[in-house]
Amino acid sequence: SGTFSPGGSALLASPVAEPQSGTVVPIGTTVQTSEAFSLTIVSVDQDALAAVQEWNPESVPPTGFQYVNVELELGHLRDQTDTFALETLVALGPTGVAYSAVNNSCGPVFGPLSPGEYGGTLTMTGHVCFIIASQDVTGLRLYDATQPADERVYLSLDPEGN
């Protein structure tokens, strides 16, 4: 198995090698991912076809995949300027497949989370939408790839708590 890329080849990467045994926190829990940033999952729409079609009416996920739209709060925790990159957000399915917030994006959705430079303490809420294999939706979790694998905290993307 690998990572699905819309508009590209179906397999981009092999299953992620990092352990999945790290702490998993429920939706609504804030996790400090670095000295600069924190993340909180606000809500998850595991079948976000309608949200994607608001922006792209012709969009449908490939067979065996579905759109998962994640509303999250990004906190910037210090006065100095730091750069937040969407590439650091990775959804991990129970099969071990990693889905990039950039390479596996379902495209624009309302209120996207903005990458870029942040200065001063603040929080902002935005959406990141993933194309996920249907078999990986239950038990899906998010992590920040800037965290060392042995310190990684996973944020649940499963409203049922699986």
Side-chain angles (χ1 to χ4, degrees), residues 22-157:
T23 304
V24 179
V25 299
I27 292 172
T29 303
T30 299
V31 172
Q32 186 171 340
T33 57
S34 67
E35 290 182 9
F37 294 104
S38 67
L39 291 172
T40 308
I41 305 301
V42 177
S43 66
V44 179
D45 180 355
Q46 293 182 315
D47 187 14
L49 181 61
V52 173
Q53 287 183 337
E54 282 183 38
W55 291 88
N56 183 357
E58 304 301 315
S59 184
V60 292
T63 302
F65 288 81
Q66 61 198 71
Y67 298 141
V68 176
N69 192 20
V70 180
E71 181 182 11
L72 53 90
E73 182 180 272
L74 174 70
H76 185 251
L77 308 174
R78 57 189 184 181
D79 289 332
Q80 71 188 62
T81 300
D82 297 287
T83 301
F84 172 73
L86 283 176
E87 293 88 350
T88 67
L89 298 181
V90 179
L92 181 64
T95 64
V97 176
Y99 301 90
S100 161
V102 173
N103 295 330
N104 304 104
S105 171
C106 39
V109 290
F110 177 76
L113 184 65
S114 299
E117 292 190 348
Y118 289 89
T121 57
L122 60 89
T123 57
M124 70 168 298
T125 301
H127 293 88
V128 177
C129 191
F130 295 88
I131 299 175
I132 304 289
S134 297
Q135 66 187 10
D136 275 331
V137 172
T138 298
L140 191 67
R141 55 192 67 173
L142 182 84
Y143 69 89
D144 181 333
T146 64
Q147 291 183 301
D150 61 344
E151 298 174 17
R152 196 163 283 157
V153 175
Y154 298 90
L155 294 96
S156 175
L157 298 180

